[in-house]
Amino acid sequence: MTGTRPVIGIVGHSYVVPMHFGDLTVHGATRCHVDALLSVGARPVIVPPRAGIDLLDLVDGLVLTGGGDVDPARYGGAPGSATGVDADRDAEEIALVQAAAERRMPVLGVCRGLQILAVAFGGSLVGGLDHMHPRDGHDVRTAPGSLIHDLLGALPHTSALHRQAVAGPGPSWRASAWAADNVIEAIEPTAGDWPALGVQWHPELTWHPDLTDETGRVLFSWLADAAGKHHQSREHGAGTLPEKESSWKLSPQTA
């Protein structure tokens, strides 16, 4: 990692905590994500709903976290084929991803976060999978020459905890890892000027007391390093690329 400790935003979401006086709506994310970033020398902050784009000037990178399924209406999927849908969260995270792409801000998309990366730029999803093996996990094969191959090798063992996955990554992404049943497990930008990566597993479980994942330290270290470089480029006035040079504004999902 570079000399300056980067500030990395963990994209939070709303959930309800039952209290003795009634339900309390909370904005947050899991402790595992915080512990992951602290362990690789980054400074984590929670990015609350409805504030993400306004905070992009204050952070050097983003983590898109897991959660409920993405609304099938976003990618032309079958109605009723998803569970735990939060349409407001979908809309906010898609807009945030598109804004981060314009800024070439480093992003790590985790599970649902990978799906948001794909759907935000014209990708589609499939549901009804049975990749629910939080303790046993599974092996994934990576594409030679890809970022994920360089980081984790040819056949890393990962966690598995999802029922949705990418069916078609769309024009802005390429698949770079697959499970044994050929489900897409990682995506990377087709353009080389945005340090973004989506993984279908949960690398933050490296820091979970009961569950496990072998990839967390490497992936979060990659994000911290990319965020540190992004911070340095902003300090030196690189800023956002001119709009006309951005391939990430060609086909964003806008539904």
Side-chain angles (χ1 to χ4, degrees):
M1 190 178 67
T2 52
T4 301
R5 291 180 62 203
V7 177
I8 297 180
I10 305 168
V11 181
H13 60 280
S14 299
Y15 57 97
V16 176
V17 177
M19 304 292 286
H20 68 277
F21 53 79
D23 290 343
L24 185 66
T25 300
V26 175
H27 294 164
T30 72
R31 176 177 173 175
C32 291
H33 290 93
V34 174
D35 290 346
L37 293 172
L38 287 173
S39 74
V40 298
R43 294 179 288 172
V45 297
I46 302 296
V47 176
R50 299 190 302 278
I53 293 176
D54 285 342
L55 293 176
L56 286 182
D57 290 341
L58 303 179
V59 300
D60 305 307
L62 292 174
V63 178
L64 292 168
T65 63
D69 291 346
V70 179
D71 190 347
R74 289 275 171 188
Y75 54 87
S81 61
T83 60
V85 170
D86 183 339
D88 289 340
R89 183 181 179 187
D90 292 347
E92 291 165 9
E93 292 187 355
I94 286 170
L96 181 60
V97 163
Q98 292 170 352
E102 292 177 22
R103 292 164 171 79
R104 304 301 194 275
M105 177 171 288
V107 176
L108 175 62
V110 171
C111 196
R112 169 193 159 87
L114 171 149
Q115 297 158 15
I116 286 291
L117 288 175
V119 171
F121 294 96
S124 61
L125 307 180
V126 60
L129 303 176
D130 186 27
H131 283 216
M132 302 293 289
H133 315 294
R135 288 180 171 82
D136 295 335
H138 58 198
D139 291 338
V140 302
R141 70 182 191 278
T142 63
S146 66
L147 172 62
I148 200 70
H149 184 279
D150 291 345
L151 291 173
L152 300 178
L155 199 69
H157 191 78
T158 75
S159 53
L161 192 61
H162 64 100
R163 297 194 187 278
Q164 274 188 323
V166 170
S172 297
W173 302 97
R174 63 175 176 271
S176 59
W178 302 263
D181 57 2
N182 291 322
V183 167
I184 293 173
E185 291 281 335
I187 60 173
E188 302 176 16
T190 53
D193 57 354
W194 183 24
L197 175 64
V199 296
Q200 188 55 74
W201 60 89
H202 284 271
E204 77 278 7
L205 294 184
T206 297
W207 291 269
H208 192 282
D210 300 315
L211 306 178
T212 185
D213 189 283
E214 299 174 4
T215 69
R217 192 164 298 279
V218 172
L219 293 182
F220 283 98
S221 293
W222 166 81
L223 178 63
D225 185 66
K229 292 173 181 175
H230 183 74
H231 178 86
Q232 287 188 331
S233 71
R234 292 197 302 178
E235 282 193 331
H236 289 86
T240 304
L241 292 180
E243 181 173 315
K244 66 181 180 181
E245 297 181 15
S246 174
S247 63
W248 292 94
K249 294 178 70 67
L250 295 180
S251 57
Q253 195 273 0
T254 56

